[in-house]
Amino acid sequence: MPQDHEPFIAVLLPCYNEEPTIAEVVRRFRETLPAATVYVYDNNSKDLTALRARAAGAIVVREPRQGKGNVVRRMFADIDADIYLMADGDGTYAPEDAPQLINTLLTERSDMVVGTRRGVADDAGRAGHAFGNRAFNALYKWLFGSDFTDIFSGYRVFTRRFVKSFPAVSGGFEIETEMSVHASQLKLPVSEIALDYGRRPVGSSSKLSTFGDGARILWMFAMLMKETQPLRFFGAFSLFFLASSLLLMAPVLVEFAETGLVPRIPTWVLSVGLLLLSMLAAVTGLILDSVSRGRAEQKRIFYLSMPSGRAERRTGAIAPAAAKVAPGKTPRAA
């Protein structure tokens, strides 16, 4: 891609049944970022989302595989740009905050900037979502580190090399979690900015399932931990099997020391089996830990081979717009 031009910005809007809001969202993004190209990826909407988006000036592409993760994977594969801005089509993220996010990406030399959500607990009045956000963010910090305070925010800006090095294996709403883990594993420079989070307008409803999506996110946490921290993952199983083995083995050994007999053969066999499982889990964790480190090194090398798309001479391109949109806000590095 030519390097003597202003950065090409792609606005990416994954959508599913967002007819009431999508036209206004596209219009506001086009007004806020007049040089950007707005892409709407329609994920099998049953309403007129695609028609409204096209009429508002967006490039509309259909993704038949259901799920936000499938849409994001398609968008990242299809589109070549210097800067990628991803938001939702429901109007809860303000397009007027986009210049601030982009300016932070350039000035902080980050690879991903996350717009953390103020007032997310008020989204559609669903207390289950608010509790889930707090619980999953706390769990993320414990498992993967404290790089992020809002792992579910859908308002993000990326460099080209983040997008083209991101595996994107998730199928649903857990895609944001996968993005965060990818950045944490490779220790990529990331930033966060606190932004206002709006309520959905009348006629627009959330696509999230409190229990269904929560279960999928928990499963994704477990899979990502297995892939990125196998020693810790299998070590937990090893300790559990070891503790269970010792608990069953202790009374049998005491009785053998006192009488020289082992009357509870089934208990002894079970305890030895659990001990073997503990050793097997520990060895599995050690072997896969080496494999995981090798994969992380390969991903890091591939990431470094991609152009960042954020040369110093471009850093002033968005700054004036950002100053007009939100003069009082300052970015917080993660």
Side-chain angles (χ1 to χ4, degrees), residues 98-156:
Q100 186 184 4
L101 289 168
I102 296 171
N103 190 53
T104 301
L105 186 83
L106 297 171
T107 57
E108 296 293 320
R109 301 184 63 80
S110 299
D111 278 306
M112 177 170 66
V113 180
V114 181
T116 60
R117 301 166 293 174
R118 296 194 194 104
V120 67
D122 298 326
D123 179 34
R126 301 180 70 171
H129 288 181
F131 173 77
N133 271 290
R134 291 193 297 269
F136 283 125
N137 277 293
L139 181 60
Y140 181 92
K141 289 182 181 179
W142 181 59
L143 293 177
F144 302 107
S146 57
D147 288 337
F148 300 97
T149 59
D150 186 3
I151 60 172
F152 298 131
S153 173
Y155 207 2
R156 301 180 181 228

Side-chain angles (χ1 to χ4, degrees), residues 5-277:
H5 65 299
E6 296 301 330
F8 173 58
I9 302 170
V11 177
L12 312 179
L13 303 174
C15 290
Y16 174 65
N17 290 343
E18 301 294 359
E19 180 185 351
T21 57
I22 188 59
E24 178 69 9
V25 171
V26 171
R27 182 189 64 79
R28 289 166 63 190
F29 269 116
R30 294 187 69 199
E31 290 180 353
T32 304
L33 299 171
T37 302
V38 180
Y39 297 87
V40 170
Y41 273 67
D42 179 45
N43 196 202
N44 300 317
S45 294
K46 305 300 189 295
D47 57 14
L48 299 179
T49 295
L51 184 63
R52 299 282 186 258
R54 189 176 290 110
I59 297 174
V60 179
V61 180
R62 180 175 175 271
E63 170 50 52
R65 293 185 180 88
Q66 199 66 43
K68 185 175 182 179
N70 293 318
V71 177
V72 171
R73 180 165 51 250
R74 174 77 178 274
M75 291 190 302
F76 284 3
D78 284 355
I79 299 169
D80 286 323
D82 298 307
I83 296 172
Y84 298 76
L85 185 145
M86 186 177 75
D88 291 341
D90 56 13
T92 52
Y93 299 113
E96 291 74 20
D97 290 327
Q100 186 184 4
L101 289 168
I102 296 171
N103 190 53
T104 301
L105 186 83
L106 297 171
T107 57
E108 296 293 320
R109 301 184 63 80
S110 299
D111 278 306
M112 177 170 66
V113 180
V114 181
T116 60
R117 301 166 293 174
R118 296 194 194 104
V120 67
D122 298 326
D123 179 34
R126 301 180 70 171
H129 288 181
F131 173 77
N133 271 290
R134 291 193 297 269
F136 283 125
N137 277 293
L139 181 60
Y140 181 92
K141 289 182 181 179
W142 181 59
L143 293 177
F144 302 107
S146 57
D147 288 337
F148 300 97
T149 59
D150 186 3
I151 60 172
F152 298 131
S153 173
Y155 207 2
R156 301 180 181 228
V157 180
F158 315 92
T159 58
R160 173 180 169 81
R161 67 180 179 182
F162 181 97
V163 166
K164 297 305 181 181
S165 67
F166 176 56
V169 298
S170 304
F173 282 100
E174 63 273 20
I175 187 69
E176 284 96 354
T177 305
E178 188 186 353
M179 291 176 181
S180 301
V181 172
H182 177 70
S184 296
Q185 183 191 24
L186 297 188
K187 296 179 175 57
L188 305 183
V190 296
S191 301
E192 289 186 331
I193 302 177
L195 302 174
D196 291 329
Y197 183 66
R199 294 178 64 91
R200 286 176 171 271
V202 177
S204 176
S205 60
S206 174
K207 314 304 185 300
L208 289 172
S209 167
T210 301
F211 297 105
D213 287 312
R216 279 192 289 271
I217 291 167
L218 275 177
W219 179 255
M220 175 57 66
F221 271 29
M223 292 300 100
L224 289 172
M225 188 177 178
K226 177 180 71 70
E227 294 296 325
T228 62
Q229 303 180 45
L231 183 58
R232 189 178 178 188
F233 180 84
F234 287 99
F237 285 100
S238 177
L239 290 176
F240 172 76
F241 289 137
L242 179 62
S244 301
S245 173
L246 294 177
L247 187 65
L248 293 172
M249 189 181 293
V252 178
L253 290 176
V254 169
E255 191 170 1
F256 176 76
E258 293 175 349
T259 65
L261 301 174
V262 184
R264 293 189 289 176
I265 296 296
T267 302
W268 176 254
V269 172
L270 177 60
S271 65
V272 171
L274 289 172
L275 182 61
L276 292 175
L277 284 176

